[in-house]
Amino acid sequence: MATGRGTARGGRGSGAAPGPPGTRVARAPNTQGCPWGCPGSTAGRGSGLRRCGSARPPRPAMPSPRSSRERRAGSSGRLEFLSLVSQRGPGVPDSPARRKESGSSATAPLPEEDCMKLNPSFLGIALSSLLAIDLWASKRLGVCAGEGSAWGSARPLMKVIEVSGHGIPWLLGTFYGLCQSDSSATREVLLNLLFALLLDLVLVAVVKGLVKRRRPTHNKMDMFVTISVDKYSFPSGHATRAALVCRFVLHHLVLAVPLRVLVVLWALIVGVSRVMLGRHNVTDVLFGLLLGYALYSVVEYCWLSPLSAPALFALWSH
């Protein structure tokens, strides 16, 4: 029985003639059984499948349900995008304003709004041009900035004018006159002048600390009695003080016409000397003159009198 089964299996496995009883017949390799034509393939025992030594080619991956859904969602999104583009029209770029219009029923921007978008850039160009002109003019007018400058010989005279517009001489002189005055009218005028000078010092220091504009590069830091904020240039404290004192004197002192003209010329010369010495730019002096002129109006509005400030006048009367 065993021999018969072995022979039967051998006869099924190959086409060779059966051997003598009790011997196994070697199987010949089946080169035609493997569907891929592998030379070393053999028939599987008890099954109709073929086995071979080589790897079977990988089957193509079947698309998963999730990837199919994602592709359907992507295709629907592309269709929606193409429909939006066709509604918007060709050549129109996407922008936040247009996205806002698509999400709400807002009207189209007015032409004035487009013009306002150009204003900041135009304003910046205009300010840059004015600044360049200011720096160029200040450097050309700084003829007394040093001993080797074009008008270097006039530098000592310009420095005397600089001291005449400094705050310390004016504060000391006003305080001394207030202490020596005998009439109430004189004390009232000098007390308000002292108040105006102190207000000028505080206001100019605050503006300089806020703006922080450096002094011209050709300036020599040999100024008369400076403080920390004096390293900044805008506005000119001398010009502010000269305009303030000039307007104050013209309103509260009775002077002849020649003296009034000299007071005005002194204020203008103080302003010009700041540019000639290289201490300030032209715009620093112009703004300082305007600020001093306007500051006098504040002093007039807050005018101190024996009725409004009786304690101060009682202090100085003794």
Side-chain angles (χ1 to χ4, degrees):
M1 295 296 290
T3 306
R5 283 196 300 270
T7 307
R9 284 197 300 269
R12 286 195 301 266
S14 65
T23 60
R24 292 180 179 272
V25 180
R27 298 174 182 175
N30 184 6
T31 58
Q32 299 179 356
C34 181
W36 301 286
C38 298
S41 61
T42 60
R45 177 181 298 178
S47 65
L49 299 178
R50 303 287 182 175
R51 291 181 299 181
C52 63
S54 62
R56 185 174 297 181
R59 295 182 180 179
M62 297 299 291
S64 63
R66 185 177 179 180
S67 60
S68 301
R69 287 195 297 270
E70 290 177 355
R71 284 199 298 272
R72 286 195 295 269
S75 61
S76 61
R78 286 194 293 272
L79 290 176
E80 293 177 2
F81 175 75
L82 292 175
S83 62
L84 289 175
V85 171
S86 61
Q87 292 175 5
R88 185 179 299 163
V92 181
D94 192 11
S95 63
R98 192 167 295 279
R99 287 196 296 268
K100 185 177 179 181
E101 291 174 6
S102 62
S104 62
S105 58
T107 58
L110 299 176
E112 289 78 8
E113 297 180 3
D114 296 337
C115 294
M116 290 186 67
K117 293 178 183 178
L118 298 176
N119 285 340
S121 59
F122 175 77
L123 182 61
I125 293 173
L127 291 178
S128 300
S129 301
L130 290 177
L131 179 62
I133 295 173
D134 179 33
L135 296 177
W136 173 80
S138 302
K139 192 170 184 178
R140 293 295 300 269
L141 294 175
V143 292
C144 300
E147 288 78 3
S149 302
W151 292 10
S153 58
R155 183 176 172 82
L157 178 60
M158 293 293 107
K159 297 192 70 172
V160 172
I161 298 174
E162 178 183 38
V163 175
S164 69
H166 200 276
I168 290 181
W170 278 100
L171 287 172
L172 293 177
T174 304
F175 185 79
Y176 179 79
L178 190 60
C179 293
Q180 298 296 324
S181 61
D182 294 331
S183 63
S184 58
T186 304
R187 284 197 296 269
E188 181 177 354
V189 172
L190 291 176
L191 187 61
N192 282 276
L193 179 59
L194 182 63
F195 167 68
L197 292 173
L198 292 175
L199 184 62
D200 167 69
L201 285 176
V202 173
L203 184 60
V204 170
V206 169
V207 176
K208 282 186 175 182
L210 291 175
V211 178
K212 295 182 179 181
R213 185 184 188 185
R214 294 289 179 178
R215 291 188 181 269
T217 55
H218 56 278
N219 173 49
K220 293 178 63 177
M221 293 300 294
D222 56 348
M223 295 178 290
F224 176 74
V225 187
T226 60
I227 57 177
S228 60
V229 294
D230 286 333
K231 62 184 178 181
Y232 300 123
S233 174
F234 186 89
S236 172
H238 283 70
T240 306
R241 190 174 304 108
L244 173 63
V245 171
C246 175
R247 195 175 177 191
F248 190 96
V249 169
L250 293 179
H251 279 78
H252 296 283
L253 292 183
V254 180
L255 300 174
V257 174
L259 292 178
R260 297 172 73 87
V261 173
L262 287 178
V263 171
V264 175
L265 287 177
W266 168 79
L268 294 176
I269 291 174
V270 168
V272 173
S273 67
R274 308 308 292 161
V275 181
M276 295 179 66
L277 285 171
R279 309 294 196 202
H280 292 277
N281 296 308
V282 176
T283 52
D284 303 337
V285 174
L286 292 178
F287 187 83
L289 292 174
L290 293 175
L291 182 62
Y293 187 88
L295 191 58
Y296 175 77
S297 301
V298 178
V299 175
E300 282 288 333
Y301 181 79
C302 304
W303 186 263
L304 303 177
S305 64
L307 297 177
S308 61
L312 289 175
F313 286 90
L315 177 65
W316 291 108
S317 62
H318 297 291

